[in-house]
Amino acid sequence: RPAFPSGVFESINEAKRWVAQFAHWYNTAHLHSAIRFVTPNDRHCGRDIEILKHRKTVYADARARYPERWSRNTRNWNPIQQVVLNPNQVPIRHIG
């Protein structure tokens, strides 16, 4: 993120404030590429389905009206079915 602080926070409260603001931005404003450019909050609340349905229609209409602008298909605007954190990470096995 471009606004990530480059130095040390002056206090724990300043760090907490920055993290709270970052988390708010990330969850409510950041359009996440792994979930088809919707916000994590939109995905969590189920709003992604309507947002992506609308995008799919807008892009299909634009492609039909201006086919010369499209050399390939539009983006895949189907909702992501499963979201996985750290998909390439090996699971930890607990020995009991």
Side-chain angles (χ1 to χ4, degrees):
R1 160 137 180 158
F4 196 84
S6 60
V8 177
F9 292 106
E10 291 184 23
S11 69
I12 189 70
N13 287 333
E14 182 187 350
K16 287 178 180 180
R17 258 191 313 278
W18 189 90
V19 169
Q21 289 172 345
F22 174 80
H24 178 75
W25 167 84
Y26 185 89
N27 289 317
T28 63
H30 173 61
L31 300 178
H32 203 293
S33 62
I35 52 175
R36 308 274 197 243
F37 299 96
V38 297
T39 68
N41 197 40
D42 287 334
R43 165 67 185 188
H44 178 74
C45 294
R47 291 186 297 263
D48 62 322
I49 295 168
E50 283 302 314
I51 291 168
L52 295 173
K53 184 177 176 183
H54 181 255
R55 275 194 202 149
K56 192 173 192 174
T57 301
V58 167
Y59 273 73
D61 290 349
R63 189 167 190 230
R65 289 179 64 194
Y66 305 102
E68 67 277 6
R69 293 184 180 180
W70 306 89
S71 60
R72 296 180 293 207
N73 291 331
T74 64
R75 286 187 188 270
N76 177 357
W77 294 119
N78 294 322
I80 298 293
Q81 296 302 310
Q82 184 178 21
V83 178
V84 180
L85 295 176
N86 303 319
N88 298 325
Q89 189 175 32
V90 176
I92 298 172
R93 299 182 78 190
H94 296 281
I95 300 173

